Amino acid sequence: MKKIAYFDSSHEMPLEMIMAAGFTPYKILGDVHQSNDPADKYLSSFFCPAARSWLTEALAHSQDWAGIIFAQGCNATNRHYDIWKVHVQTPFLHWFGAPLLDSASAKKFYRVELQRLISHLENQFDIKITSEKIKEAIGKSNEIKKKLQRLSALRAQKDIPNRDYLAAVIKCLTSPVDEVVTWLDSEITAWNSKPAFPVDKKRFLLTGGDITYVEWMDTLEDCGIRIVRDDLSVGERFFATLIPDANDPLDALMEYYMNIPRPATRPTIQKRLDYLYQALGETKVDGVLSQNVKFCEPYAYDSVPVNNALKDRGYKVIHLERDFSPAADQQLANRLAAFVEMMEVGNNG
Ligand code: SF4
């Protein structure tokens, strides 16, 4: 089954529409191991390096995709769309205007955007996207979300390396849906048979921008940190809630996408905090690790009020700005190791 790739700075793309159209949804995540030189011909280097990597991937691989959909997210989305229109070869390029707000008029607009996406897909690929097909896609999407909920809950109970969790979520966002459903079953069985959570690791919640490569998770591992909760889009935001039942599947999608835990690119900060408080209430952690990749303004700006609010509630919080590189960052590792050490001193003293 051919892929339709999507540019999504958060979890705004209604990928059930891609499934209902008979394609595999493929989230573009770039490749941190490849130089961004191809994208840098079109974008300044102070642009977010994650999104520049997505352009690099598209320039190299767009011929493998039946089309590309942009879901409105951070400011990078708009600028990239303008550039991709001209420089990325694809037979199908669509802008999905996911609204920033969740007001009554925004909900109305969301439905209009869903209809516009359906029409464009139907005309381009000579298909019919029926309500039944969308409902079937919603069913499969919910199946994956439920299995990911079960899998991710094992992080706090079993010896699951940070990279294994991130690799699992990335697989779910980039692989054929039916393959993912079967694979998740075997992964849940495998994780369940792992040893108990290691006594020498600290439990952390990870918040901020998306981590898109497993090497960064290894750095946390080396510092004695295990991520047991998160609010990332390549993470819990993707499966925290299920798509509700509704007679009209467009209403179900609208309700779902407008009520998932909020990223920094959507108001309000309080709504983003609500999910963090909920996660921290459900799972006991030793600390909170907040981070953003360099030049990511939404998460950098948001981190100050979000982290202050968490500190006010007594949580131990560290914020880091990181590079977009698979190489181990020793300065960052030193800061994290010192933070963990201070926790131990605090606990013992
Ligand atoms: S890392 Fe930040 S700036 Fe880059 S795409 Fe994501 S939200 Fe946008």
Side-chain angles (χ1 to χ4, degrees), residues 7 28-31 34-59 76 80 84 293-295 324:
F7 182 114
I28 304 169
L29 291 171
D31 181 354
Q34 300 291 324
S35 155
N36 268 344
D37 285 354
D40 291 350
K41 281 198 280 182
Y42 309 111
L43 287 161
S44 314
S45 53
F46 55 75
F47 227 96
C48 145
R52 280 191 285 131
S53 179
W54 305 346
L55 174 56
T56 300
E57 181 179 351
L59 289 167
H80 270 262
W84 290 40
V293 71
K294 273 184 188 151
F295 305 114
F324 183 77

PDB file of all heavy atoms in Angstrom, residues 7 28-31 34-59 76 80 84 293-295 324:
ATOM      1  N   PHE A   7       3.331  16.315   7.015  1.00  0.00           N
ATOM      2  CA  PHE A   7       4.173  17.254   7.766  1.00  0.00           C
ATOM      3  C   PHE A   7       3.321  17.716   8.941  1.00  0.00           C
ATOM      4  O   PHE A   7       2.284  18.357   8.755  1.00  0.00           O
ATOM      5  CB  PHE A   7       4.517  18.450   6.859  1.00  0.00           C
ATOM      6  CG  PHE A   7       5.422  19.494   7.474  1.00  0.00           C
ATOM      7  CD1 PHE A   7       6.699  19.705   6.965  1.00  0.00           C
ATOM      8  CD2 PHE A   7       4.999  20.282   8.535  1.00  0.00           C
ATOM      9  CE1 PHE A   7       7.536  20.679   7.498  1.00  0.00           C
ATOM     10  CE2 PHE A   7       5.835  21.257   9.084  1.00  0.00           C
ATOM     11  CZ  PHE A   7       7.101  21.452   8.554  1.00  0.00           C
ATOM     12  N   ILE A  28       6.409  12.344   8.552  1.00  0.00           N
ATOM     13  CA  ILE A  28       7.780  12.700   8.160  1.00  0.00           C
ATOM     14  C   ILE A  28       8.536  13.114   9.420  1.00  0.00           C
ATOM     15  O   ILE A  28       8.115  14.042  10.125  1.00  0.00           O
ATOM     16  CB  ILE A  28       7.771  13.856   7.134  1.00  0.00           C
ATOM     17  CG1 ILE A  28       6.926  13.492   5.909  1.00  0.00           C
ATOM     18  CG2 ILE A  28       9.194  14.197   6.707  1.00  0.00           C
ATOM     19  CD1 ILE A  28       6.646  14.668   4.975  1.00  0.00           C
ATOM     20  N   LEU A  29       9.624  12.417   9.705  1.00  0.00           N
ATOM     21  CA  LEU A  29      10.396  12.716  10.921  1.00  0.00           C
ATOM     22  C   LEU A  29      11.856  13.036  10.615  1.00  0.00           C
ATOM     23  O   LEU A  29      12.640  13.300  11.524  1.00  0.00           O
ATOM     24  CB  LEU A  29      10.321  11.526  11.892  1.00  0.00           C
ATOM     25  CG  LEU A  29       8.940  11.289  12.521  1.00  0.00           C
ATOM     26  CD1 LEU A  29       8.909   9.974  13.282  1.00  0.00           C
ATOM     27  CD2 LEU A  29       8.561  12.437  13.433  1.00  0.00           C
ATOM     28  N   GLY A  30      12.231  12.997   9.329  1.00  0.00           N
ATOM     29  CA  GLY A  30      13.603  13.332   8.956  1.00  0.00           C
ATOM     30  C   GLY A  30      14.573  12.246   9.385  1.00  0.00           C
ATOM     31  O   GLY A  30      14.181  11.196   9.895  1.00  0.00           O
ATOM     32  N   ASP A  31      15.836  12.519   9.142  1.00  0.00           N
ATOM     33  CA  ASP A  31      16.878  11.569   9.542  1.00  0.00           C
ATOM     34  C   ASP A  31      18.042  12.377  10.086  1.00  0.00           C
ATOM     35  O   ASP A  31      18.744  13.055   9.340  1.00  0.00           O
ATOM     36  CB  ASP A  31      17.316  10.727   8.337  1.00  0.00           C
ATOM     37  CG  ASP A  31      18.384   9.704   8.714  1.00  0.00           C
ATOM     38  OD1 ASP A  31      18.859   9.730   9.873  1.00  0.00           O
ATOM     39  OD2 ASP A  31      18.743   8.892   7.854  1.00  0.00           O
ATOM     40  N   GLN A  34      21.534  12.345   8.474  1.00  0.00           N
ATOM     41  CA  GLN A  34      21.809  12.957   7.179  1.00  0.00           C
ATOM     42  C   GLN A  34      22.052  14.464   7.349  1.00  0.00           C
ATOM     43  O   GLN A  34      21.350  15.109   8.130  1.00  0.00           O
ATOM     44  CB  GLN A  34      20.600  12.789   6.234  1.00  0.00           C
ATOM     45  CG  GLN A  34      20.210  11.345   5.955  1.00  0.00           C
ATOM     46  CD  GLN A  34      21.257  10.631   5.114  1.00  0.00           C
ATOM     47  OE1 GLN A  34      21.857  11.219   4.232  1.00  0.00           O
ATOM     48  NE2 GLN A  34      21.480   9.358   5.420  1.00  0.00           N
ATOM     49  N   SER A  35      22.997  14.975   6.595  1.00  0.00           N
ATOM     50  CA  SER A  35      23.255  16.418   6.636  1.00  0.00           C
ATOM     51  C   SER A  35      22.034  17.176   6.107  1.00  0.00           C
ATOM     52  O   SER A  35      21.350  16.708   5.187  1.00  0.00           O
ATOM     53  CB  SER A  35      24.470  16.726   5.758  1.00  0.00           C
ATOM     54  OG  SER A  35      24.415  18.058   5.317  1.00  0.00           O
ATOM     55  N   ASN A  36      21.792  18.357   6.678  1.00  0.00           N
ATOM     56  CA  ASN A  36      20.666  19.181   6.219  1.00  0.00           C
ATOM     57  C   ASN A  36      21.050  20.103   5.060  1.00  0.00           C
ATOM     58  O   ASN A  36      20.277  21.008   4.709  1.00  0.00           O
ATOM     59  CB  ASN A  36      20.115  20.023   7.386  1.00  0.00           C
ATOM     60  CG  ASN A  36      18.983  19.299   8.106  1.00  0.00           C
ATOM     61  OD1 ASN A  36      18.415  18.349   7.586  1.00  0.00           O
ATOM     62  ND2 ASN A  36      18.658  19.757   9.304  1.00  0.00           N
ATOM     63  N   ASP A  37      22.189  19.863   4.450  1.00  0.00           N
ATOM     64  CA  ASP A  37      22.628  20.732   3.343  1.00  0.00           C
ATOM     65  C   ASP A  37      21.564  20.885   2.250  1.00  0.00           C
ATOM     66  O   ASP A  37      21.330  22.001   1.771  1.00  0.00           O
ATOM     67  CB  ASP A  37      23.929  20.212   2.723  1.00  0.00           C
ATOM     68  CG  ASP A  37      25.124  20.500   3.617  1.00  0.00           C
ATOM     69  OD1 ASP A  37      24.929  21.194   4.632  1.00  0.00           O
ATOM     70  OD2 ASP A  37      26.225  20.015   3.322  1.00  0.00           O
ATOM     71  N   PRO A  38      20.885  19.792   1.828  1.00  0.00           N
ATOM     72  CA  PRO A  38      19.878  19.985   0.763  1.00  0.00           C
ATOM     73  C   PRO A  38      18.782  20.977   1.161  1.00  0.00           C
ATOM     74  O   PRO A  38      18.375  21.820   0.356  1.00  0.00           O
ATOM     75  CB  PRO A  38      19.301  18.576   0.565  1.00  0.00           C
ATOM     76  CG  PRO A  38      20.377  17.655   1.043  1.00  0.00           C
ATOM     77  CD  PRO A  38      21.039  18.373   2.177  1.00  0.00           C
ATOM     78  N   ALA A  39      18.305  20.900   2.392  1.00  0.00           N
ATOM     79  CA  ALA A  39      17.256  21.829   2.840  1.00  0.00           C
ATOM     80  C   ALA A  39      17.806  23.231   3.046  1.00  0.00           C
ATOM     81  O   ALA A  39      17.105  24.226   2.833  1.00  0.00           O
ATOM     82  CB  ALA A  39      16.640  21.318   4.142  1.00  0.00           C
ATOM     83  N   ASP A  40      19.075  23.312   3.428  1.00  0.00           N
ATOM     84  CA  ASP A  40      19.663  24.618   3.726  1.00  0.00           C
ATOM     85  C   ASP A  40      19.834  25.480   2.479  1.00  0.00           C
ATOM     86  O   ASP A  40      20.101  26.674   2.565  1.00  0.00           O
ATOM     87  CB  ASP A  40      21.013  24.438   4.445  1.00  0.00           C
ATOM     88  CG  ASP A  40      20.808  23.886   5.851  1.00  0.00           C
ATOM     89  OD1 ASP A  40      19.645  23.846   6.295  1.00  0.00           O
ATOM     90  OD2 ASP A  40      21.791  23.483   6.486  1.00  0.00           O
ATOM     91  N   LYS A  41      19.637  24.872   1.303  1.00  0.00           N
ATOM     92  CA  LYS A  41      19.655  25.686   0.071  1.00  0.00           C
ATOM     93  C   LYS A  41      18.432  26.603   0.042  1.00  0.00           C
ATOM     94  O   LYS A  41      18.414  27.618  -0.625  1.00  0.00           O
ATOM     95  CB  LYS A  41      19.615  24.765  -1.153  1.00  0.00           C
ATOM     96  CG  LYS A  41      20.951  24.147  -1.472  1.00  0.00           C
ATOM     97  CD  LYS A  41      20.995  23.629  -2.892  1.00  0.00           C
ATOM     98  CE  LYS A  41      20.318  22.282  -2.974  1.00  0.00           C
ATOM     99  NZ  LYS A  41      20.337  21.651  -4.271  1.00  0.00           N
ATOM    100  N   TYR A  42      17.372  26.192   0.768  1.00  0.00           N
ATOM    101  CA  TYR A  42      16.104  26.926   0.697  1.00  0.00           C
ATOM    102  C   TYR A  42      15.707  27.597   2.011  1.00  0.00           C
ATOM    103  O   TYR A  42      14.774  28.399   2.038  1.00  0.00           O
ATOM    104  CB  TYR A  42      14.969  25.975   0.282  1.00  0.00           C
ATOM    105  CG  TYR A  42      15.312  25.179  -0.952  1.00  0.00           C
ATOM    106  CD1 TYR A  42      15.522  23.812  -0.883  1.00  0.00           C
ATOM    107  CD2 TYR A  42      15.457  25.814  -2.185  1.00  0.00           C
ATOM    108  CE1 TYR A  42      15.852  23.086  -2.009  1.00  0.00           C
ATOM    109  CE2 TYR A  42      15.796  25.084  -3.316  1.00  0.00           C
ATOM    110  CZ  TYR A  42      15.992  23.729  -3.224  1.00  0.00           C
ATOM    111  OH  TYR A  42      16.335  23.013  -4.339  1.00  0.00           O
ATOM    112  N   LEU A  43      16.359  27.201   3.109  1.00  0.00           N
ATOM    113  CA  LEU A  43      15.960  27.709   4.433  1.00  0.00           C
ATOM    114  C   LEU A  43      17.179  28.212   5.189  1.00  0.00           C
ATOM    115  O   LEU A  43      18.250  27.605   5.109  1.00  0.00           O
ATOM    116  CB  LEU A  43      15.319  26.582   5.257  1.00  0.00           C
ATOM    117  CG  LEU A  43      13.917  26.142   4.852  1.00  0.00           C
ATOM    118  CD1 LEU A  43      13.617  24.757   5.418  1.00  0.00           C
ATOM    119  CD2 LEU A  43      12.882  27.141   5.352  1.00  0.00           C
ATOM    120  N   SER A  44      16.990  29.261   5.965  1.00  0.00           N
ATOM    121  CA  SER A  44      18.098  29.749   6.788  1.00  0.00           C
ATOM    122  C   SER A  44      18.419  28.714   7.853  1.00  0.00           C
ATOM    123  O   SER A  44      17.538  27.977   8.303  1.00  0.00           O
ATOM    124  CB  SER A  44      17.708  31.037   7.521  1.00  0.00           C
ATOM    125  OG  SER A  44      17.083  31.906   6.657  1.00  0.00           O
ATOM    126  N   SER A  45      19.683  28.723   8.276  1.00  0.00           N
ATOM    127  CA  SER A  45      20.097  27.689   9.229  1.00  0.00           C
ATOM    128  C   SER A  45      19.562  27.978  10.637  1.00  0.00           C
ATOM    129  O   SER A  45      19.700  27.153  11.525  1.00  0.00           O
ATOM    130  CB  SER A  45      21.614  27.551   9.242  1.00  0.00           C
ATOM    131  OG  SER A  45      22.179  28.807   9.462  1.00  0.00           O
ATOM    132  N   PHE A  46      18.979  29.183  10.849  1.00  0.00           N
ATOM    133  CA  PHE A  46      18.379  29.401  12.169  1.00  0.00           C
ATOM    134  C   PHE A  46      16.934  28.906  12.226  1.00  0.00           C
ATOM    135  O   PHE A  46      16.251  29.077  13.217  1.00  0.00           O
ATOM    136  CB  PHE A  46      18.469  30.873  12.612  1.00  0.00           C
ATOM    137  CG  PHE A  46      17.886  31.863  11.643  1.00  0.00           C
ATOM    138  CD1 PHE A  46      16.512  31.999  11.508  1.00  0.00           C
ATOM    139  CD2 PHE A  46      18.723  32.668  10.883  1.00  0.00           C
ATOM    140  CE1 PHE A  46      15.974  32.908  10.619  1.00  0.00           C
ATOM    141  CE2 PHE A  46      18.185  33.583   9.984  1.00  0.00           C
ATOM    142  CZ  PHE A  46      16.818  33.704   9.854  1.00  0.00           C
ATOM    143  N   PHE A  47      16.478  28.301  11.138  1.00  0.00           N
ATOM    144  CA  PHE A  47      15.171  27.630  11.148  1.00  0.00           C
ATOM    145  C   PHE A  47      15.310  26.345  11.955  1.00  0.00           C
ATOM    146  O   PHE A  47      16.383  25.748  11.970  1.00  0.00           O
ATOM    147  CB  PHE A  47      14.795  27.266   9.707  1.00  0.00           C
ATOM    148  CG  PHE A  47      13.401  27.636   9.340  1.00  0.00           C
ATOM    149  CD1 PHE A  47      13.120  28.824   8.685  1.00  0.00           C
ATOM    150  CD2 PHE A  47      12.356  26.788   9.651  1.00  0.00           C
ATOM    151  CE1 PHE A  47      11.835  29.162   8.351  1.00  0.00           C
ATOM    152  CE2 PHE A  47      11.068  27.112   9.317  1.00  0.00           C
ATOM    153  CZ  PHE A  47      10.802  28.300   8.664  1.00  0.00           C
ATOM    154  N   CYS A  48      14.238  25.927  12.586  1.00  0.00           N
ATOM    155  CA  CYS A  48      14.268  24.701  13.396  1.00  0.00           C
ATOM    156  C   CYS A  48      14.893  23.534  12.622  1.00  0.00           C
ATOM    157  O   CYS A  48      14.458  23.209  11.517  1.00  0.00           O
ATOM    158  CB  CYS A  48      12.851  24.377  13.827  1.00  0.00           C
ATOM    159  SG  CYS A  48      12.462  22.650  13.915  1.00  0.00           S
ATOM    160  N   PRO A  49      15.956  22.912  13.164  1.00  0.00           N
ATOM    161  CA  PRO A  49      16.668  21.861  12.419  1.00  0.00           C
ATOM    162  C   PRO A  49      15.833  20.601  12.199  1.00  0.00           C
ATOM    163  O   PRO A  49      16.075  19.864  11.246  1.00  0.00           O
ATOM    164  CB  PRO A  49      17.886  21.559  13.301  1.00  0.00           C
ATOM    165  CG  PRO A  49      17.497  22.038  14.668  1.00  0.00           C
ATOM    166  CD  PRO A  49      16.554  23.169  14.474  1.00  0.00           C
ATOM    167  N   ALA A  50      14.842  20.359  13.076  1.00  0.00           N
ATOM    168  CA  ALA A  50      14.006  19.161  12.896  1.00  0.00           C
ATOM    169  C   ALA A  50      13.226  19.304  11.591  1.00  0.00           C
ATOM    170  O   ALA A  50      13.231  18.405  10.740  1.00  0.00           O
ATOM    171  CB  ALA A  50      13.067  19.004  14.083  1.00  0.00           C
ATOM    172  N   ALA A  51      12.575  20.440  11.408  1.00  0.00           N
ATOM    173  CA  ALA A  51      11.771  20.637  10.194  1.00  0.00           C
ATOM    174  C   ALA A  51      12.666  20.722   8.953  1.00  0.00           C
ATOM    175  O   ALA A  51      12.269  20.289   7.863  1.00  0.00           O
ATOM    176  CB  ALA A  51      10.912  21.889  10.331  1.00  0.00           C
ATOM    177  N   ARG A  52      13.888  21.257   9.093  1.00  0.00           N
ATOM    178  CA  ARG A  52      14.798  21.268   7.940  1.00  0.00           C
ATOM    179  C   ARG A  52      15.136  19.834   7.541  1.00  0.00           C
ATOM    180  O   ARG A  52      15.281  19.512   6.361  1.00  0.00           O
ATOM    181  CB  ARG A  52      16.077  22.046   8.279  1.00  0.00           C
ATOM    182  CG  ARG A  52      15.872  23.554   8.179  1.00  0.00           C
ATOM    183  CD  ARG A  52      17.185  24.288   8.250  1.00  0.00           C
ATOM    184  NE  ARG A  52      17.715  24.318   9.586  1.00  0.00           N
ATOM    185  CZ  ARG A  52      18.966  23.997   9.925  1.00  0.00           C
ATOM    186  NH1 ARG A  52      19.828  23.648   9.006  1.00  0.00           N
ATOM    187  NH2 ARG A  52      19.356  24.050  11.177  1.00  0.00           N
ATOM    188  N   SER A  53      15.219  18.961   8.546  1.00  0.00           N
ATOM    189  CA  SER A  53      15.500  17.554   8.254  1.00  0.00           C
ATOM    190  C   SER A  53      14.318  16.910   7.520  1.00  0.00           C
ATOM    191  O   SER A  53      14.502  16.030   6.675  1.00  0.00           O
ATOM    192  CB  SER A  53      15.786  16.823   9.568  1.00  0.00           C
ATOM    193  OG  SER A  53      16.029  15.477   9.357  1.00  0.00           O
ATOM    194  N   TRP A  54      13.101  17.373   7.841  1.00  0.00           N
ATOM    195  CA  TRP A  54      11.926  16.836   7.137  1.00  0.00           C
ATOM    196  C   TRP A  54      11.982  17.231   5.655  1.00  0.00           C
ATOM    197  O   TRP A  54      11.639  16.440   4.786  1.00  0.00           O
ATOM    198  CB  TRP A  54      10.618  17.348   7.765  1.00  0.00           C
ATOM    199  CG  TRP A  54      10.511  17.075   9.240  1.00  0.00           C
ATOM    200  CD1 TRP A  54      11.293  16.232   9.975  1.00  0.00           C
ATOM    201  CD2 TRP A  54       9.575  17.664  10.158  1.00  0.00           C
ATOM    202  NE1 TRP A  54      10.895  16.266  11.290  1.00  0.00           N
ATOM    203  CE2 TRP A  54       9.864  17.118  11.436  1.00  0.00           C
ATOM    204  CE3 TRP A  54       8.543  18.588  10.030  1.00  0.00           C
ATOM    205  CZ2 TRP A  54       9.139  17.479  12.571  1.00  0.00           C
ATOM    206  CZ3 TRP A  54       7.814  18.944  11.157  1.00  0.00           C
ATOM    207  CH2 TRP A  54       8.110  18.391  12.414  1.00  0.00           C
ATOM    208  N   LEU A  55      12.407  18.465   5.400  1.00  0.00           N
ATOM    209  CA  LEU A  55      12.535  18.892   4.001  1.00  0.00           C
ATOM    210  C   LEU A  55      13.623  18.082   3.296  1.00  0.00           C
ATOM    211  O   LEU A  55      13.454  17.667   2.145  1.00  0.00           O
ATOM    212  CB  LEU A  55      12.835  20.404   3.936  1.00  0.00           C
ATOM    213  CG  LEU A  55      13.140  20.976   2.545  1.00  0.00           C
ATOM    214  CD1 LEU A  55      12.016  20.693   1.542  1.00  0.00           C
ATOM    215  CD2 LEU A  55      13.382  22.495   2.613  1.00  0.00           C
ATOM    216  N   THR A  56      14.730  17.846   3.997  1.00  0.00           N
ATOM    217  CA  THR A  56      15.802  17.031   3.409  1.00  0.00           C
ATOM    218  C   THR A  56      15.255  15.661   3.026  1.00  0.00           C
ATOM    219  O   THR A  56      15.533  15.140   1.928  1.00  0.00           O
ATOM    220  CB  THR A  56      16.966  16.870   4.422  1.00  0.00           C
ATOM    221  OG1 THR A  56      17.461  18.170   4.747  1.00  0.00           O
ATOM    222  CG2 THR A  56      18.095  16.034   3.845  1.00  0.00           C
ATOM    223  N   GLU A  57      14.439  15.083   3.918  1.00  0.00           N
ATOM    224  CA  GLU A  57      13.861  13.762   3.622  1.00  0.00           C
ATOM    225  C   GLU A  57      12.937  13.838   2.406  1.00  0.00           C
ATOM    226  O   GLU A  57      12.975  12.975   1.531  1.00  0.00           O
ATOM    227  CB  GLU A  57      13.096  13.231   4.846  1.00  0.00           C
ATOM    228  CG  GLU A  57      12.498  11.849   4.585  1.00  0.00           C
ATOM    229  CD  GLU A  57      11.748  11.249   5.774  1.00  0.00           C
ATOM    230  OE1 GLU A  57      11.804  11.804   6.881  1.00  0.00           O
ATOM    231  OE2 GLU A  57      11.088  10.204   5.565  1.00  0.00           O
ATOM    232  N   ALA A  58      12.125  14.882   2.361  1.00  0.00           N
ATOM    233  CA  ALA A  58      11.171  15.009   1.248  1.00  0.00           C
ATOM    234  C   ALA A  58      11.900  15.196  -0.077  1.00  0.00           C
ATOM    235  O   ALA A  58      11.503  14.622  -1.105  1.00  0.00           O
ATOM    236  CB  ALA A  58      10.226  16.170   1.504  1.00  0.00           C
ATOM    237  N   LEU A  59      12.968  15.990  -0.079  1.00  0.00           N
ATOM    238  CA  LEU A  59      13.714  16.209  -1.323  1.00  0.00           C
ATOM    239  C   LEU A  59      14.287  14.886  -1.839  1.00  0.00           C
ATOM    240  O   LEU A  59      14.374  14.671  -3.046  1.00  0.00           O
ATOM    241  CB  LEU A  59      14.849  17.222  -1.084  1.00  0.00           C
ATOM    242  CG  LEU A  59      14.402  18.675  -0.859  1.00  0.00           C
ATOM    243  CD1 LEU A  59      15.553  19.530  -0.320  1.00  0.00           C
ATOM    244  CD2 LEU A  59      13.854  19.284  -2.149  1.00  0.00           C
ATOM    245  N   ALA A  76       6.633  27.138  11.497  1.00  0.00           N
ATOM    246  CA  ALA A  76       7.460  26.465  10.488  1.00  0.00           C
ATOM    247  C   ALA A  76       6.583  25.864   9.389  1.00  0.00           C
ATOM    248  O   ALA A  76       6.971  25.808   8.225  1.00  0.00           O
ATOM    249  CB  ALA A  76       8.298  25.366  11.143  1.00  0.00           C
ATOM    250  N   HIS A  80       7.320  26.306   5.447  1.00  0.00           N
ATOM    251  CA  HIS A  80       7.720  25.106   4.713  1.00  0.00           C
ATOM    252  C   HIS A  80       6.766  24.846   3.553  1.00  0.00           C
ATOM    253  O   HIS A  80       7.195  24.508   2.459  1.00  0.00           O
ATOM    254  CB  HIS A  80       7.753  23.892   5.656  1.00  0.00           C
ATOM    255  CG  HIS A  80       9.091  23.707   6.306  1.00  0.00           C
ATOM    256  ND1 HIS A  80      10.034  22.834   5.853  1.00  0.00           N
ATOM    257  CD2 HIS A  80       9.646  24.320   7.376  1.00  0.00           C
ATOM    258  CE1 HIS A  80      11.113  22.908   6.611  1.00  0.00           C
ATOM    259  NE2 HIS A  80      10.898  23.795   7.548  1.00  0.00           N
ATOM    260  N   TRP A  84       7.971  23.973  -0.094  1.00  0.00           N
ATOM    261  CA  TRP A  84       7.744  22.632  -0.648  1.00  0.00           C
ATOM    262  C   TRP A  84       6.923  22.706  -1.936  1.00  0.00           C
ATOM    263  O   TRP A  84       7.118  21.914  -2.852  1.00  0.00           O
ATOM    264  CB  TRP A  84       7.029  21.739   0.383  1.00  0.00           C
ATOM    265  CG  TRP A  84       7.866  21.347   1.572  1.00  0.00           C
ATOM    266  CD1 TRP A  84       8.743  22.135   2.252  1.00  0.00           C
ATOM    267  CD2 TRP A  84       7.900  20.073   2.240  1.00  0.00           C
ATOM    268  NE1 TRP A  84       9.316  21.438   3.295  1.00  0.00           N
ATOM    269  CE2 TRP A  84       8.805  20.173   3.315  1.00  0.00           C
ATOM    270  CE3 TRP A  84       7.232  18.872   2.047  1.00  0.00           C
ATOM    271  CZ2 TRP A  84       9.073  19.114   4.180  1.00  0.00           C
ATOM    272  CZ3 TRP A  84       7.494  17.804   2.914  1.00  0.00           C
ATOM    273  CH2 TRP A  84       8.401  17.927   3.962  1.00  0.00           C
ATOM    274  N   VAL A 293      14.421  21.648  21.100  1.00  0.00           N
ATOM    275  CA  VAL A 293      15.546  21.684  20.180  1.00  0.00           C
ATOM    276  C   VAL A 293      15.847  23.159  19.889  1.00  0.00           C
ATOM    277  O   VAL A 293      14.948  24.004  19.960  1.00  0.00           O
ATOM    278  CB  VAL A 293      15.201  20.897  18.889  1.00  0.00           C
ATOM    279  CG1 VAL A 293      14.174  21.600  18.035  1.00  0.00           C
ATOM    280  CG2 VAL A 293      16.440  20.585  18.060  1.00  0.00           C
ATOM    281  N   LYS A 294      17.103  23.477  19.591  1.00  0.00           N
ATOM    282  CA  LYS A 294      17.483  24.875  19.311  1.00  0.00           C
ATOM    283  C   LYS A 294      16.626  25.454  18.196  1.00  0.00           C
ATOM    284  O   LYS A 294      16.317  24.757  17.227  1.00  0.00           O
ATOM    285  CB  LYS A 294      18.952  24.944  18.908  1.00  0.00           C
ATOM    286  CG  LYS A 294      19.846  25.067  20.100  1.00  0.00           C
ATOM    287  CD  LYS A 294      21.300  25.223  19.712  1.00  0.00           C
ATOM    288  CE  LYS A 294      22.123  25.139  20.993  1.00  0.00           C
ATOM    289  NZ  LYS A 294      23.438  24.630  20.803  1.00  0.00           N
ATOM    290  N   PHE A 295      16.231  26.696  18.325  1.00  0.00           N
ATOM    291  CA  PHE A 295      15.424  27.440  17.352  1.00  0.00           C
ATOM    292  C   PHE A 295      13.949  27.021  17.339  1.00  0.00           C
ATOM    293  O   PHE A 295      13.211  27.420  16.435  1.00  0.00           O
ATOM    294  CB  PHE A 295      15.996  27.347  15.923  1.00  0.00           C
ATOM    295  CG  PHE A 295      17.427  27.770  15.830  1.00  0.00           C
ATOM    296  CD1 PHE A 295      18.428  26.873  15.497  1.00  0.00           C
ATOM    297  CD2 PHE A 295      17.787  29.098  16.084  1.00  0.00           C
ATOM    298  CE1 PHE A 295      19.756  27.261  15.422  1.00  0.00           C
ATOM    299  CE2 PHE A 295      19.111  29.497  16.007  1.00  0.00           C
ATOM    300  CZ  PHE A 295      20.089  28.580  15.670  1.00  0.00           C
ATOM    301  N   PHE A 324      20.278  19.239  17.422  1.00  0.00           N
ATOM    302  CA  PHE A 324      19.659  18.181  16.613  1.00  0.00           C
ATOM    303  C   PHE A 324      20.806  17.366  16.054  1.00  0.00           C
ATOM    304  O   PHE A 324      21.325  17.645  14.970  1.00  0.00           O
ATOM    305  CB  PHE A 324      18.812  18.830  15.508  1.00  0.00           C
ATOM    306  CG  PHE A 324      18.060  17.848  14.660  1.00  0.00           C
ATOM    307  CD1 PHE A 324      16.906  17.234  15.127  1.00  0.00           C
ATOM    308  CD2 PHE A 324      18.482  17.545  13.375  1.00  0.00           C
ATOM    309  CE1 PHE A 324      16.202  16.337  14.336  1.00  0.00           C
ATOM    310  CE2 PHE A 324      17.782  16.654  12.572  1.00  0.00           C
ATOM    311  CZ  PHE A 324      16.637  16.043  13.057  1.00  0.00           C
TER     312      PHE A 324
END
